[in-house]
Amino acid sequence: METLLNAEQIEEGVDRMAAYVQSVCPRPPLVLVGVLTGSLPMVADLIRRLDLPLRLALIQARSYRGPKHQQGELKIDDRLLPDLRGSHVVVVDDIFDTGQTLAGVVEQLQRRRPSSLHSAVLLRKQIGGAKSVEPDFVAFDIPDKFVVGYGLDLNDLYRNLPYVATLDPGEGP
């Protein structure tokens, strides 16, 4: 395991994300929508940095299955979302790679008629190919490597690490 981003760097990235969120929400109501489960540590840190009234909501989106983390069909569970009509919404996710998750979540949220809808991600993998959507805010661009820590996992492990690290093939449980 090799550290890619240490805890201080992540803090700086979350600070930049907080400034971005403050800039796109001219007035309440703001609804911050965290994508479960990987965004939880970042969302917890982010809301403590925001100096404006907000509501917190969660949505679950999963497309990776099994120990080999192969991408499959995107499954979205939006039962935890409040009414978003007329709200300024910022969806927050841990990582952007293929764009499939963000595109699906944005589509689901747009159906709820928010006043505005923005997206912010901690990490964006530098991988080729056209994407149907790009995040509005990216804290860090990273190489196309498998990463864990700060919410990111391998078989639901390593989410608790205070840093982001790369795993070499064969590493992990």
Side-chain angles (χ1 to χ4, degrees):
M1 193 178 300
E2 180 182 336
T3 300
L4 186 63
L5 296 167
N6 64 38
E8 284 180 359
Q9 290 170 303
I10 292 170
E11 278 187 40
E12 291 168 4
V14 175
D15 285 343
R16 291 192 308 272
M17 187 180 291
Y20 168 77
V21 171
Q22 297 258 160
S23 76
V24 298
C25 183
R27 63 193 184 291
L30 167 66
V31 180
L32 197 69
V33 178
V35 179
L36 290 173
T37 300
S39 73
L40 284 178
M42 179 179 49
V43 167
D45 288 344
L46 178 62
I47 63 174
R48 288 189 284 262
R49 289 171 168 84
L50 294 173
D51 187 24
L52 67 149
L54 65 87
R55 292 186 330 192
L56 181 59
L58 300 168
I59 190 168
Q60 186 171 39
R62 295 181 61 114
S63 61
Y64 289 90
R65 300 273 191 261
K68 295 186 179 182
H69 282 268
Q70 293 184 354
Q71 190 165 2
E73 180 184 351
L74 180 64
K75 305 281 188 195
I76 295 177
D77 182 349
D78 66 355
R79 291 178 290 175
L80 296 174
L81 289 177
D83 182 10
L84 299 176
R85 282 181 299 220
S87 296
H88 299 285
V89 175
V90 179
V91 60
V92 179
D93 204 0
D94 54 358
I95 192 164
F96 178 88
D97 47 26
T98 67
Q100 179 183 2
T101 300
L102 185 60
V105 168
V106 164
E107 180 182 323
Q108 195 80 359
L109 295 176
Q110 285 174 332
R111 291 182 190 146
R112 292 173 175 261
R113 303 181 193 270
S115 282
S116 65
L117 178 58
H118 300 275
S119 58
V121 298
L122 182 69
L123 308 173
R124 176 174 54 193
K125 280 191 183 180
Q126 295 298 298
I127 57 176
K131 315 282 188 308
S132 62
V133 66
E134 286 284 336
D136 296 313
F137 174 85
V138 176
F140 300 99
D141 284 309
I142 63 169
D144 184 15
K145 295 187 174 191
F146 191 84
V147 291
V148 296
Y150 199 66
L152 298 147
D153 74 300
L154 172 65
N155 300 328
D156 287 324
L157 299 173
Y158 303 111
R159 291 187 195 275
N160 60 311
L161 297 176
Y163 54 87
V164 173
T166 60
L167 282 182
D168 291 327
E171 273 191 292

